Amino acid sequence: MLVIRSARVMDPETNLDEVMDVMIAEDGTIAEMGKGLAEFVDPEQVQMIEAAGKILAPGFVDVHVHFRDPGLTYKEDIVTGAAAAAAGGYTTVVCMANTKPTIDSVEVFEEVAMREQKLPIHVLQAANVTMRMQGKTLTDMKALHRAGAVGFTDDGVPVMDEKLFTEALRVCKELDVPISVHEEDPKYIYSAGVNQGAVSEQLGLGGASAEAETAMVKRDIALNETIGAKLDIQHISSAETVKLLRDAKARGIRVYGEVTPQHLAATEELVLERGALARVNPPLRTEADRKALLRGLADGTIDMIATDHAPHSAEEKARPIAEAPSGMIGLETALGLVMTYAVRSKEAELMQVLRALTCNPAKLYGLEAGRIQKGKSADLVLFDPECKWTVPQTFASKATNSPFIGMELYGKVCMTICNGRIVYQEGEK
């Protein structure tokens, strides 16, 4: 049995925020919660975790990660990806389907899903919307759902065919699963990964405009207005998209939004400092966009914080910026970035940030996760909100493509517990 003593327990689902003890039973569930419980147990019979000054929250849930498995495992694989997630405080993640081969058949899905079930955290798998992500033919979504796909996405590219996408929305509505969309219209992109503006001009690149995102968001919200599927707008990057999301929700349209820690923390200026390491789709944009994203998070317009953890090899990212792939790793820096740039900056309340990291993504996918409650599974993260640390050069991830290496952040994961087992402890290899 594990006993966590004197933690500040925060459960966003119930708005619980109290200092108390939490007892975890041998079956991996939360046995008891309350003040002074540790005084009534034999310390020789339990593993006591002293947590004074630390926050105990539900294990984080990330609905948008790339573990590059199958086919691109020189970048990452499900084992190293799960280790990175645990080190970042995550107990549940949803893997995207832009692998090699893509997750567009039951056979490919079942092979990777079988291996994911053996990992120390909950690694769930999404499947593709279209065959080979080519936007021409829908996958057998119902068969993939029966096989265990928790949602559908062609993340990395948009589904441009309106008729095809409308049919995908209808199927996802029938199955009651999310359809997660990458909103970048190619006709507004002259060079991906860098915002179209002052920085792209300085670098001699055409850039990717915010209109690439907003044009697709407008279309998909309109298409879903009468269908009512779980439409998830991925990695929102612009102020105008936040407004579109806010207006759609006010009109009763079923739509959800993700924001990444990097879009909350940084602007296009980071590209000048860190080059290709800061190249990401959609790109980091202006300070006005960043502030709008923070306001959207604070008022609940944006539902979820999702990392878009995107590993690449050092050799790939060492290419000139116009040739290097877009994307950055994010699982192990997520808490530090949001604590530093959203909470400590007083842009958003901690409980709201935790809601976006835990119960909101869990609810979208209908998961028994994202909560700290008696009788529920002990999927937990213990972190020190005041700990100041420097982002290291190496990670639990196989990749190191982070533009935040060497930066000082606040908020450090001390321990991650999944199904009542310690799957990560600070300082232990």
Side-chain angles (χ1 to χ4, degrees):
M1 179 178 283
L2 289 175
V3 177
I4 303 169
R5 178 153 62 183
S6 301
R8 179 185 173 189
V9 178
M10 299 185 70
D11 178 35
E13 186 173 78
T14 60
N15 287 314
L16 173 69
D17 186 356
E18 293 184 30
V19 175
M20 62 174 67
D21 302 339
V22 174
M23 299 176 64
I24 301 171
E26 292 181 6
D27 67 357
T29 62
I30 296 174
E32 292 289 346
M33 300 170 58
K35 297 182 183 294
L37 293 177
E39 307 305 319
F40 298 96
V41 298
D42 183 351
E44 299 296 324
Q45 301 298 316
V46 301
Q47 181 177 352
M48 190 73 67
I49 299 167
E50 299 294 344
K54 298 179 176 65
I55 292 172
L56 186 69
F60 302 148
V61 178
D62 193 342
V63 298
H64 188 163
V65 302
H66 300 270
F67 283 178
R68 309 300 193 196
D69 197 340
L72 299 166
T73 53
Y74 69 93
K75 301 174 189 265
E76 189 83 282
D77 57 52
I78 60 170
V79 174
T80 58
Y90 290 88
T91 53
T92 301
V93 298
V94 178
C95 288
M96 297 295 96
N98 59 337
T99 50
K100 191 175 183 180
T102 50
I103 312 293
D104 58 9
S105 70
V106 169
E107 292 75 21
V108 175
F109 175 88
E110 288 182 336
E111 189 281 327
V112 68
M114 179 180 64
R115 292 187 288 118
E116 288 168 345
Q117 291 170 6
K118 301 174 183 178
L119 296 167
I121 66 164
H122 308 293
V123 177
L124 309 177
Q125 184 65 54
N128 289 118
V129 178
T130 69
M131 296 300 295
R132 293 176 293 283
M133 294 176 59
Q134 293 180 351
K136 296 178 180 179
T137 308
L138 291 184
T139 59
D140 189 341
M141 300 170 80
K142 292 182 180 180
L144 284 160
H145 181 249
R146 287 193 298 271
V150 294
F152 293 90
T153 182
D154 275 1
D155 178 50
V157 295
V159 180
M160 297 303 298
D161 187 314
E162 287 191 20
K163 184 178 179 182
L164 194 70
F165 187 69
T166 300
E167 180 58 26
L169 285 170
R170 290 196 179 104
V171 176
C172 286
K173 169 64 175 177
E174 180 184 343
L175 297 176
D176 192 29
V177 296
I179 182 167
S180 301
V181 287
H182 183 120
E183 304 287 55
E184 284 193 297
D185 188 330
K187 71 171 172 280
Y188 298 103
I189 298 175
Y190 301 96
S191 55
V194 180
N195 184 47
Q196 187 178 75
V199 170
S200 66
E201 289 178 9
Q202 188 171 336
L203 294 172
L205 299 172
S209 76
E211 194 172 358
E213 178 174 278
T214 57
M216 294 298 299
V217 171
K218 287 176 185 176
R219 186 203 76 168
D220 290 347
I221 286 174
L223 291 176
N224 196 46
E225 185 168 4
T226 56
I227 297 172
K230 290 180 176 179
L231 176 62
D232 172 22
I233 310 297
Q234 297 180 298
H235 40 46
I236 290 170
S237 68
S238 74
E240 179 62 21
T241 301
V242 177
K243 182 179 182 298
L244 290 170
L245 188 64
R246 187 178 286 120
D247 291 348
K249 288 187 171 190
R251 288 159 48 208
I253 300 173
R254 197 179 194 189
V255 61
Y256 305 83
E258 302 172 12
V259 67
T260 73
Q262 53 266 27
H263 284 96
L264 294 173
T267 69
E268 59 186 350
E269 297 294 324
L270 190 62
V271 179
L272 296 177
E273 298 175 35
R274 299 298 170 98
L277 287 175
R279 186 184 187 195
V280 62
N281 297 339
L284 304 173
R285 299 200 191 274
T286 67
E287 179 65 5
D289 290 308
R290 190 182 78 87
K291 287 288 191 179
L293 294 171
L294 286 163
R295 288 192 296 272
L297 176 65
D299 69 16
T301 298
I302 295 174
D303 304 271
M304 298 166 287
I305 295 170
T307 66
D308 190 13
H309 177 80
H312 294 292
S313 71
E315 292 76 15
E316 288 169 326
K317 277 294 190 176
R319 297 171 188 163
I321 191 166
E323 301 171 19
S326 293
M328 62 182 74
I329 57 172
L331 287 164
E332 295 170 73
T333 54
L335 178 67
L337 290 174
V338 297
M339 287 298 297
T340 303
Y341 291 97
V343 178
R344 288 183 68 89
S345 63
K346 302 190 183 305
E347 302 283 356
E349 296 293 330
L350 176 57
M351 189 66 85
Q352 182 66 9
V353 167
L354 289 177
R355 196 168 286 121
L357 284 165
T358 61
C359 60
N360 282 358
K363 286 176 182 174
L364 176 62
Y365 277 82
L367 305 176
E368 284 291 322
R371 57 173 67 101
I372 302 180
Q373 292 162 27
K374 182 179 176 179
K376 301 296 184 182
S377 181
D379 290 354
L380 309 167
V381 58
L382 184 68
F383 67 91
D384 185 342
E386 301 299 325
C387 179
K388 185 178 181 180
W389 59 287
T390 301
V391 180
Q393 293 185 341
T394 59
F395 300 85
S397 170
K398 188 179 290 187
T400 60
N401 57 304
S402 170
F404 302 107
I405 289 172
M407 295 187 184
E408 290 186 337
L409 301 176
Y410 289 87
K412 192 78 169 67
V413 174
C414 304
M415 181 178 291
T416 306
I417 297 169
C418 188
N419 288 330
R421 293 179 55 248
I422 298 171
V423 293
Y424 169 80
Q425 190 162 355
E426 185 182 11
E428 292 189 1
K429 296 293 185 181

